[in-house]
Amino acid sequence: MGELLTELKRALVIFGTLAIILGLIYPLAITGISQIAFPYQANGEMIKINGNIVGSELIGQNFNGSQYFQSRPSAIDYNASTSGGSNYGPTNKLLINRVNETINEIKVNDSLPANTIIPSDMVLASGSGLDRYISVESALLQVPRIAKARHINESSIDDLIKNTQETPFPWVGQPVVNVLKLNLALNGIH
């Protein structure tokens, strides 16, 4: 019995020590280091204008109005407290109907010809529902609508797209634009 109590005591001491080190000291040290070395990234890459947070560079959001670039659709209504897709397969009737409705809305809202091919990122939600990027092609498709709504030259908006496009993984993939950054730049010229 004495040997069992000795082993139990050792186990509790080891458990307590590891709990303090790994559950308290390590997280506080990593948080402190990240706050000192990378404060912008550690705090969610929040964009502030006049001291007010307008969004995060990392999370997509909904933009209302014909004067703004539209983000990808979101299966979770851009709710950043959760993430996820619809989990509909490519043959699911609900997904097919939603995609067709979205294509028709885009063609009507952007005054596009019936035979215009709409990029997939304009009609399909991302896996997280919070994708911050759209393709350059999707952004260029929206330029005439935005220029008309803001009464500005289309070439000015084209220049904004060129200046805000990025390639998240330079070794693979196509250039994309961050919708929040693009809309903020758009507000800056008009």
Side-chain angles (χ1 to χ4, degrees), residues 151-178:
H151 308 290
I152 56 177
N153 190 316
E154 286 185 23
S155 64
S156 300
I157 301 172
D158 289 340
D159 290 341
L160 282 180
I161 292 170
K162 289 176 190 163
N163 293 332
T164 58
Q165 74 183 24
E166 53 190 87
T167 307
F169 303 102
W171 56 91
V172 296
Q174 299 295 319
V176 292
V177 290
N178 183 308

Side-chain angles (χ1 to χ4, degrees), residues 87-189:
N87 293 329
Y88 292 149
T91 59
N92 185 292
K93 192 70 174 161
L94 293 172
L95 176 64
I96 293 168
N97 290 341
R98 192 185 77 219
V99 166
N100 288 330
E101 286 173 16
T102 305
I103 288 172
N104 291 332
E105 285 175 19
I106 290 170
K107 287 181 179 179
V108 168
N109 293 340
D110 287 300
S111 302
L112 299 172
N115 63 348
T116 303
I117 296 173
I118 307 297
S120 62
D121 62 320
M122 292 294 293
V123 295
L124 296 173
S126 66
S128 69
L130 299 170
D131 193 354
R132 62 193 182 258
Y133 296 119
I134 58 172
S135 65
V136 173
E137 182 183 15
S138 294
L140 291 172
L141 196 68
Q142 299 179 61
V143 168
R145 170 183 44 85
I146 295 166
K148 182 179 176 184
R150 289 183 177 255
H151 308 290
I152 56 177
N153 190 316
E154 286 185 23
S155 64
S156 300
I157 301 172
D158 289 340
D159 290 341
L160 282 180
I161 292 170
K162 289 176 190 163
N163 293 332
T164 58
Q165 74 183 24
E166 53 190 87
T167 307
F169 303 102
W171 56 91
V172 296
Q174 299 295 319
V176 292
V177 290
N178 183 308
V179 179
L180 174 60
K181 287 181 178 179
L182 185 57
N183 282 329
L184 291 174
L186 190 60
N187 283 343
I189 66 166

Side-chain angles (χ1 to χ4, degrees), residues 12-31:
L12 289 174
V13 168
I14 291 171
F15 174 77
T17 303
L18 288 174
I20 290 170
I21 292 171
L22 299 175
L24 188 63
I25 295 171
Y26 178 75
L28 288 174
I30 295 301
T31 300

